Amino acid sequence: MATRLDDLSFLSGTNSEFIEYLYARYSADPASVDPSWQEFFTDLSREPEGLGDRAAAAVGAPGLSEDDARAITRDSLRVLMMIRAYRVRGHLIAALDPLGLEGDKHHPELDPVSYGFSDADYDRVFFIDGVLGQQTATLRDILSILQQTYCGKIGIEFMHIQYPEEKAWIQERVEGTRNRTHFAKHTKLEILRSLDVAEGFESFLQVKHPGTKRFSLEGSESLIPALETIIETSAALGTEDIVFGMPHRGRLTVLTSIMAKPYRQVFAEFHGESSNPEDVQGSGDVKYHLGTSSDRELPHGRKIHLSMTANPSHLEAVNPVVLGKVRAKQAMIGDTKRQRVMSILMHGDAAFAGQGLVAETFGLSQLRGYRTGGTIHVIVNNQIGFTTSPKHSRSSPYPSDVGKMVQAPIIHVNGDDPEAVVHAARMAAEYRCHFSRDVVLDIFCYRRYGHNEGDEPAFTQPLMYRKIADHPTTRQLYTERLVADGVLAPKEADQRLADFHAELEGEFEASKSFRPNKADWFEGKWQGFERAPESERRGATSVPMARLKEIGLALSALPEDFDIHRKIARFQGNRRKMIESGEGLDWSTGEAMAFATLLGEGCPVRLSGQDSGRGTFSQRHSVHIDQTNEKRYVPLNHVAEDQAHYEVIDSMLSEAAVLGYEYGYSLADPDTLVLWEGQFGDFANGAQTIIDQFITSGESKWLRMSGLVMLLPHGYEGQGPEHSSARLERFLQMFGEDNIQVANCTTPANYFHILRRQLHRKFRKPLIMMTPKSLLRHKRAVSRLSDLGPGTSFHRVLPEAAELAAPAKARRVVLCSGKVYYDLVEERERREIDDIAILRVEQLAPFPKRSLATELEKYPSADVVWCQEEPKNMGAWTFIGPRIEDLLANLDVRCKRPTYVGRIEAASPATGSNKKHVREQAKLVNDALTV
Ligand SMILES: Cc1ncc(C[n+]2csc(CCOP(=O)(O)OP(=O)(O)O)c2C)c(N)n1
Ligand SMILES: [Mg+2]
């Protein structure tokens, strides 16, 4: 039976027998023990000398009897087992908590007694074969080295990493330095300066605005030297741009001291000045959610761009957004090694342990379409979440355990030892740069006051807060240390703080007359953009015919020697026919033509979603797979010379993280068409936080635009409750102040134009597209190539397509949106009705008032029906009903109020029975045309 080397829990007391037992088995048959044990024993018994001989020689007793040599071997094995236990679990007894709340720590696997040693063995010399840099050492020395290395103010978890190179790198660094720090005087003073600034700013705010919410950093000021170190180390290793994401805790201090946001501006925000330069723009947000950016000059003349991403109060929701921004920035500057732009994410301990988005974001970290070269995660582990203690808020020992899912090294550090923090932060930054992987820095600290400045923490944690009340600040402790070490005179320390206070007083005075600069949302890559105008929003989306043909043919071509699947060959052949004949373009060809033409114009397209390469409905076939060798061929990357890149990604099976990521991407790069696609539309509700807090409200809160497209399959086709509805009603309910566009198109041409329109205007707006399923192959849902050509554009409302007998006398106008249109038209034909007009509302929001008015006025004597497939409490009705009524009130028509036709109010979006579905569908079509 193989046994895991890491798991020593069964060793206590009997470990020596156990090792002997294993060793005996190994000697009889090496394969009978676990490979890790094989490696272990092989290492120890390298030829030509066996371990016993070498050990005996090393401890100065060559030529011992076989029994004695065996005893020495056993001793060495036990010591080596113990050393390994310290590497794995030393952090469990490290001095991490500044408050020392856990009391004495003991772990049996770290106790020599468990390995059969007693006090009498402490001064005996053991052979350890070069481990810890020693051939031999006394047990006392070995323990001292181990405790210094693994159980001091830094506790490191790295033995879970399965990559030998990474593990060795960390082990060498940690054991090589024994985690001791040796800083020059000027570095020590810089560390102190960071603490002065952090403590000084927070206490200044407390004096000037007592009780105002600021989520102070007090108790975790070491975050500031940690960030400074990460920035400096990363910059020295080639980073030019860092994107930050962080929660409320200490944000104001980070914004000012790290991001160089002017103190006067923050003070002005406290006085109640609008955070937005022009009050008329946007709703604004509370000060501890705002972002900022700056260029900082570092020692040695290096420059680095820093940007803090604005975020909502939903903890951890900003994580994927930050990563998406980083990826976009890397793409824009051609940073293929992913070293020039990086991300730092800060977290609270409770949120990091509790929020699923943390795990989802880790999940993205090594994926081809999403990797960003590693994120440095910093946990401000103040050992509390609002009023909840860790033991009630997580099932794992540390908040950081989730990081192990991607084998991130986890460095725990005591926040009251700023030098250890700096040392740990440097190692984290170097690791990320070296291995391009995520790393977690877990700063153990405390929260000096309540959750916010109005909260009383003693209601819930009286003992902890009594301890905190008597606990000196990190700055005080470090000052005392520097004074004791002769680095600083006591007076100097006071003077430094006084100088900083004087600086803040000056800023405070200046804040009274502070007027913010112009809004910064149209800078950098966004230069030349503007707020969306009221009208003229169509954009020039048509493409010359010759270009369409050329691109379309390239799109339907295949490379030579490509072993293509029979059905894909037919798919390509059909597409070719569509382009050659200019007739019968289907949905997926409309989409491919939109992408291809944009690519040809130099605009990259990034489509990420659930099985998006092929397409959930086997409709897209963006990527062809050679049937012999599985090589990929992406036709969209072969449509024109000098074209931009098309990236299509089958995403991780997450909604929130992936959608957040794509939103972030769209924030950084307005010139890429960024699309996220759900498998079925309703799955988007797993990303509701991203939709609510970023996509629909981000522009208003933070003056940041996004041209993100969400593709959400929607339509009632008898596939049951979840696969029918993308919950159109939710998006429409969230529409306000021109924040998003919601559309449900019925023709490939209109889809082509609405996608192209995303990049052919001087502003960006998220587009929520209800996309079809049955219409993907519907014989009527086709367009001509010329519908994409000169003179064409997107139509928010599609007029009656048939010839009616006498429009002015039509008795009814049926308004609808999406797939039900084709059901209605087919039934109207079957019944040979010629006095009912059917109009399609292709864009629901912003409501197309003018185009709809133009169409409705053609039918002055008709009554008006809104027909939808969805139940009455869902779909567009509650949004569109009142709007149509308002419109009719101002038109010269008979009907003044639309009538509802559709499914009755329901709890579940659709029936699970196909038969029932067909019956319901027939009824609503019949009602629309008769009742
Ligand atoms: C998703 C979410 N749920 C609840 C809250 C309310 N809330 C704000 S801060 C906080 C405690 C967070 O604790 P922690 O992550 O440890 O950060 P700390 O405040 O201790 O720095 C809670 C529950 C929130 N902001 N976001
Ligand atoms: Mg906390």
Side-chain angles (χ1 to χ4, degrees):
M1 185 194 70
T3 312
R4 279 197 54 230
L5 184 62
D6 281 1
D7 188 0
L8 303 177
S9 54
F10 46 83
L11 281 188
S12 295
T14 58
N15 55 356
S16 59
E17 288 84 354
F18 174 72
I19 295 164
E20 274 183 63
Y21 160 73
L22 269 188
Y23 190 51
R25 279 185 55 173
Y26 166 82
S27 308
D29 172 14
S32 69
V33 300
D34 184 84
S36 58
W37 280 105
Q38 289 175 31
E39 194 187 327
F40 183 79
F41 290 127
T42 315
D43 264 7
L44 293 175
S45 51
R46 276 189 306 258
E47 293 301 336
E49 295 172 305
L51 176 70
D53 293 341
R54 290 188 297 131
V59 298
L64 284 183
S65 71
E66 204 173 298
D67 275 0
D68 286 348
R70 210 175 149 69
I72 290 171
T73 307
R74 205 174 50 206
D75 280 350
S76 291
L77 285 173
R78 290 173 183 173
V79 171
L80 291 169
M81 288 301 302
M82 189 184 73
I83 293 174
R84 189 181 160 79
Y86 271 83
R87 287 175 180 154
V88 178
R89 307 217 198 282
H91 56 88
L92 291 172
I93 61 165
L96 299 176
D97 179 9
L99 303 177
L101 291 171
E102 321 93 322
D104 268 355
K105 292 178 172 187
H106 176 261
H107 195 284
E109 290 168 21
L110 303 172
D111 186 346
V113 173
S114 305
Y115 298 84
F117 298 120
S118 66
D119 287 352
D121 295 311
Y122 272 63
D123 292 311
R124 270 177 58 207
V125 176
F126 293 86
F127 175 64
I128 51 174
D129 200 18
V131 174
L132 302 177
Q134 322 258 336
Q135 280 301 308
T136 60
T138 61
L139 184 60
R140 189 181 304 284
D141 285 347
I142 292 169
L143 280 168
S144 155
I145 294 172
L146 288 174
Q147 275 161 4
Q148 208 172 64
T149 309
Y150 288 110
C151 317
K153 299 289 175 65
I154 296 177
I156 182 154
E157 292 184 83
F158 70 108
M159 291 294 276
H160 56 282
I161 299 175
Q162 287 165 16
Y163 308 104
E165 196 196 337
E166 289 186 27
K167 214 164 68 172
W169 186 91
I170 294 170
Q171 190 170 303
E172 269 163 36
R173 276 202 60 117
V174 172
E175 293 184 2
T177 59
R178 295 190 194 165
N179 267 335
R180 286 172 305 200
T181 53
H182 299 281
F183 291 112
K185 179 176 172 180
H186 71 90
T187 310
K188 292 178 188 230
L189 291 177
E190 272 166 27
I191 296 173
L192 183 61
R193 165 77 188 170
S194 292
L195 298 175
D196 285 344
V197 165
E199 185 182 312
F201 176 58
E202 294 285 359
S203 58
F204 187 86
L205 276 176
Q206 179 61 17
V207 171
K208 296 290 184 189
H209 295 278
T212 306
K213 263 194 205 177
R214 65 192 151 89
F215 298 103
S216 105
L217 188 63
E218 284 148 299
S220 43
E221 290 92 341
S222 277
L223 174 68
I224 302 303
L227 291 177
E228 290 286 3
T229 305
I230 293 171
I231 293 168
E232 251 183 59
T233 310
S234 305
L237 295 171
T239 301
E240 299 157 13
D241 191 332
I242 304 182
V243 185
F244 290 77
M246 80 174 292
H248 53 291
R249 178 77 47 214
R251 190 173 175 111
L252 297 176
T253 300
V254 172
L255 285 175
T256 47
S257 76
I258 302 284
M259 320 288 303
K261 178 170 180 173
Y263 286 110
R264 60 187 67 183
Q265 188 170 353
V266 175
F267 294 143
E269 288 165 7
F270 269 86
H271 301 323
E273 285 297 323
S274 162
S275 51
N276 287 322
E278 294 138 48
D279 275 351
V280 286
Q281 293 187 354
S283 64
D285 201 346
V286 290
K287 43 196 166 294
Y288 41 84
H289 287 168
L290 299 176
T292 193
S293 67
S294 65
D295 288 303
R296 258 189 69 177
E297 210 150 310
L298 298 172
H300 317 299
R302 275 195 203 84
K303 269 207 176 133
I304 192 156
H305 184 73
L306 307 175
S307 56
M308 173 68 72
T309 310
N311 61 278
S313 85
H314 284 54
L315 293 166
E316 308 291 349
V318 79
N319 301 356
V321 178
V322 168
L323 298 200
K325 277 174 78 175
V326 170
R327 174 87 174 202
K329 286 183 169 209
Q330 290 173 340
M332 286 188 285
I333 61 167
D335 179 14
T336 50
K337 291 195 171 142
R338 312 201 179 284
Q339 287 297 328
R340 291 166 60 197
V341 190
M342 67 171 269
S343 47
I344 299 178
L345 290 177
M346 282 161 264
H347 314 270
D349 51 324
F352 199 64
Q355 292 290 307
L357 254 176
V358 174
E360 289 194 22
T361 309
F362 273 120
L364 292 176
S365 67
Q366 289 301 311
L367 299 180
R368 184 179 52 180
Y370 307 92
R371 64 170 77 107
T372 53
T375 297
I376 301 182
H377 299 267
V378 184
I379 306 177
V380 173
N381 182 358
N382 57 14
Q383 312 186 71
I384 195 163
F386 208 152
T387 65
T388 306
S389 299
K391 66 172 182 285
H392 297 128
S393 72
R394 60 177 187 256
S395 294
S396 57
Y398 296 110
S400 52
D401 290 86
V402 61
K404 289 188 185 169
M405 67 176 270
V406 293
Q407 303 188 47
I410 292 160
I411 314 175
H412 308 282
V413 61
N414 186 322
D416 258 359
D417 184 341
E419 291 190 11
V421 171
V422 166
H423 181 77
R426 194 174 286 172
M427 182 155 56
E430 287 175 0
Y431 170 87
R432 187 213 66 90
C433 180
H434 212 80
F435 296 106
S436 294
R437 294 167 57 82
D438 284 30
V439 51
V440 181
L441 179 66
D442 176 27
I443 306 180
F444 266 70
C445 48
Y446 58 92
R447 189 188 70 196
R448 181 159 291 277
Y449 303 109
H451 175 60
N452 63 52
E453 287 53 42
D455 259 341
E456 170 53 82
F459 289 155
T460 48
Q461 274 81 13
L463 299 184
M464 185 186 202
Y465 275 82
R466 225 170 285 154
K467 193 135 199 184
I468 291 173
D470 293 336
H471 193 76
T473 68
T474 308
R475 190 196 65 85
Q476 277 166 343
L477 290 172
Y478 192 54
T479 306
E480 283 163 19
R481 180 165 154 190
L482 294 191
V483 169
D485 289 350
V487 176
L488 188 75
K491 267 197 187 145
E492 270 178 88
D494 296 342
Q495 191 57 46
R496 287 163 64 98
L497 200 57
D499 289 349
F500 181 58
H501 265 262
E503 184 187 329
L504 289 181
E505 281 293 356
E507 288 288 309
F508 193 77
E509 269 318 297
S511 70
K512 293 177 182 160
S513 55
F514 178 81
R515 286 290 165 271
N517 291 329
K518 67 177 177 49
D520 65 350
W521 53 336
F522 300 127
E523 288 175 4
K525 277 291 275 184
W526 288 87
Q527 218 153 37
F529 286 86
E530 57 191 33
R531 304 194 82 200
E534 289 282 314
S535 55
E536 286 317 308
R537 304 172 64 151
R538 201 165 272 180
T541 56
S542 70
V543 176
M545 286 308 290
R547 183 75 173 153
L548 288 170
K549 278 247 150 129
E550 186 188 350
I551 281 193
L553 289 176
L555 196 58
S556 50
L558 275 173
E560 281 175 22
D561 299 332
F562 194 85
D563 182 10
I564 194 149
H565 190 281
R566 194 168 43 84
K567 289 191 175 162
I568 305 296
R570 200 159 61 217
F571 173 88
Q572 286 290 85
N574 285 343
R575 183 163 278 178
R576 193 174 182 88
K577 275 185 221 145
M578 293 172 202
I579 303 295
E580 281 170 347
S581 67
E583 298 288 335
L585 267 72
D586 62 7
W587 188 268
S588 106
T589 303
E591 178 189 86
M593 290 298 285
F595 291 174
T597 49
L598 287 170
L599 294 166
E601 289 158 9
C603 301
V605 175
R606 178 183 160 94
L607 166 60
S608 126
Q610 302 179 334
D611 304 287
S612 292
R614 190 199 75 171
T616 295
F617 312 101
S618 213
Q619 84 282 14
R620 181 172 292 123
H621 295 295
S622 248
V623 182
H624 299 330
I625 308 291
D626 187 300
Q627 299 296 302
T628 313
N629 54 26
E630 291 203 354
K631 276 199 181 135
R632 291 157 57 95
Y633 177 75
V634 180
L636 278 160
N637 278 325
H638 302 273
V639 291
E641 279 188 22
D642 298 328
Q643 71 164 88
H645 185 61
Y646 173 63
E647 189 172 23
V648 61
I649 308 147
D650 296 335
S651 75
M652 181 173 87
L653 192 40
S654 130
E655 286 77 28
V658 181
L659 182 61
Y661 190 100
E662 303 312 332
Y663 170 77
Y665 201 106
S666 73
L667 286 182
D669 181 2
D671 297 325
T672 293
L673 180 66
V674 185
L675 309 100
W676 175 77
E677 182 173 58
Q679 191 104 71
F680 284 91
D682 61 299
F683 293 119
N685 57 21
Q688 200 63 48
T689 307
I690 303 294
I691 297 166
D692 289 0
Q693 314 300 329
F694 292 92
I695 296 174
T696 58
S697 56
E699 181 181 332
S700 174
K701 290 192 290 192
W702 310 312
L703 306 181
R704 289 290 177 269
M705 282 185 171
S706 159
L708 178 72
V709 179
M710 291 176 68
L711 300 179
L712 305 176
H714 175 81
Y716 280 61
E717 281 149 13
Q719 291 196 53
E722 280 77 42
H723 290 174
S724 298
S725 172
R727 297 298 202 158
L728 172 67
E729 60 278 4
R730 296 221 181 108
F731 294 99
L732 293 175
Q733 193 226 350
M734 280 187 280
F735 172 77
E737 289 190 287
D738 193 15
N739 57 343
I740 50 171
Q741 313 161 99
V742 185
N744 190 358
C745 295
T746 55
T747 70
N750 230 15
Y751 183 40
F752 169 89
H753 287 295
I754 201 170
L755 287 178
R756 284 179 52 76
R757 188 177 77 162
Q758 282 303 93
L759 291 197
H760 278 278
R761 298 182 296 195
K762 283 183 154 184
F763 62 91
R764 296 287 178 262
K765 288 281 172 198
L767 168 63
I768 319 298
M769 280 293 303
M770 302 291 118
T771 57
K773 296 170 289 178
S774 61
L775 296 196
L776 297 170
R777 297 183 173 80
H778 196 289
K779 61 182 188 314
R780 287 173 184 254
V782 291
S783 299
R784 285 184 296 267
L785 193 62
S786 57
D787 294 334
L788 323 180
T792 62
S793 66
F794 175 65
H795 293 285
R796 295 174 299 167
V797 175
L798 283 175
E800 175 54 65
E803 292 273 329
L804 295 189
K809 291 193 183 141
R811 73 183 157 89
R812 171 171 292 182
V813 176
V814 179
L815 294 173
C816 64
S817 186
K819 173 212 139 235
V820 71
Y821 167 75
Y822 292 103
D823 296 346
L824 291 166
V825 166
E826 279 172 3
E827 190 58 20
R828 182 177 66 174
E829 268 180 33
R830 211 178 60 75
R831 298 189 190 182
E832 297 179 353
I833 296 172
D834 66 359
D835 57 356
I836 295 182
I838 307 177
L839 305 180
R840 284 168 274 178
V841 181
E842 301 271 299
Q843 177 183 297
L844 294 151
F847 180 60
K849 228 189 292 182
R850 259 170 304 143
S851 359
L852 196 55
T854 309
E855 292 310 317
L856 285 172
E857 278 180 326
K858 293 179 186 166
Y859 312 100
S861 34
D863 62 8
V864 175
V865 159
W866 171 260
C867 174
Q868 68 177 33
E869 303 178 297
E870 299 89 346
K872 195 172 184 182
N873 53 327
M874 301 174 197
W877 172 242
T878 51
F879 172 84
I880 212 151
R883 284 172 172 78
I884 296 172
E885 192 171 343
D886 285 353
L887 191 63
L888 291 172
N890 295 313
L891 296 184
D892 193 10
V893 293
R894 187 183 58 79
C895 175
K896 293 294 162 194
R897 177 175 285 183
T899 312
Y900 173 79
V901 167
R903 286 183 168 80
I904 57 167
E905 206 172 83
S908 162
T911 170
S913 142
N914 192 52
K915 246 188 179 164
K916 189 158 178 237
H917 159 79
V918 171
R919 247 190 347 258
E920 288 173 357
Q921 195 78 2
K923 177 175 185 321
L924 70 90
V925 169
N926 180 59
D927 287 355
L929 298 176
T930 51
V931 181

